[in-house]
Amino acid sequence: MRCVIARYPFDLSKSGVLASMKGVKPELITGESVTIGRRRYPVKQVGEVITRQDRRDFTSGEVTRAMARLGFTCHDHPEAAPVRVLTPLQTASALLGSPVPLEV
């Protein structure tokens, strides 16, 4: 498939992307990501590996569109763990050094 990333044309194939990413350790995901094989990679890391360009030269949207057209699963945001929000009473208790009650 022919696509343009950072104003340069590339001929990408699903097997070529799989081969390029083989043995590459995924970095910490903080934004958009793509599943390649059994691993999830940040789209900027994938773009850097397959285009051999600096990450600042292309947008994550360009890489995401190319990966989606090749049939890879793309994700918008990382799956975040639910954040426990403390009530005002729990916050005050924690500041005073008392154990934080689980339920009020």
Side-chain angles (χ1 to χ4, degrees):
M1 175 197 78
R2 190 155 179 92
C3 65
V4 176
I5 298 175
R7 298 181 316 267
Y8 291 101
F10 291 95
D11 286 318
L12 300 176
S13 66
K14 190 166 186 170
S15 60
V17 172
L18 286 168
S20 295
M21 297 305 293
K22 186 176 182 178
V24 176
K25 184 179 177 187
E27 296 173 358
L28 180 65
I29 298 172
T30 57
E32 296 176 339
S33 62
V34 60
T35 301
I36 298 176
R38 290 181 283 165
R39 295 182 172 187
R40 260 176 96 169
Y41 295 91
V43 291
K44 288 284 199 167
Q45 180 183 13
V46 173
E48 184 177 51
V49 171
I50 63 173
T51 66
R52 296 184 189 96
Q53 294 181 343
D54 190 272
R55 295 175 188 207
R56 295 171 290 184
D57 294 340
F58 54 85
T59 65
S60 58
E62 292 174 310
V63 179
T64 301
R65 281 189 296 277
M67 295 298 105
R69 285 179 56 197
L70 286 173
F72 293 104
T73 305
C74 299
H75 311 276
D76 288 335
H77 300 286
E79 296 169 0
V83 178
R84 185 173 146 213
V85 178
L86 298 178
T87 65
L89 177 64
Q90 292 172 327
T91 303
S93 232
L95 290 172
L96 293 172
S98 303
V100 178
L102 295 177
E103 292 184 24
V104 177

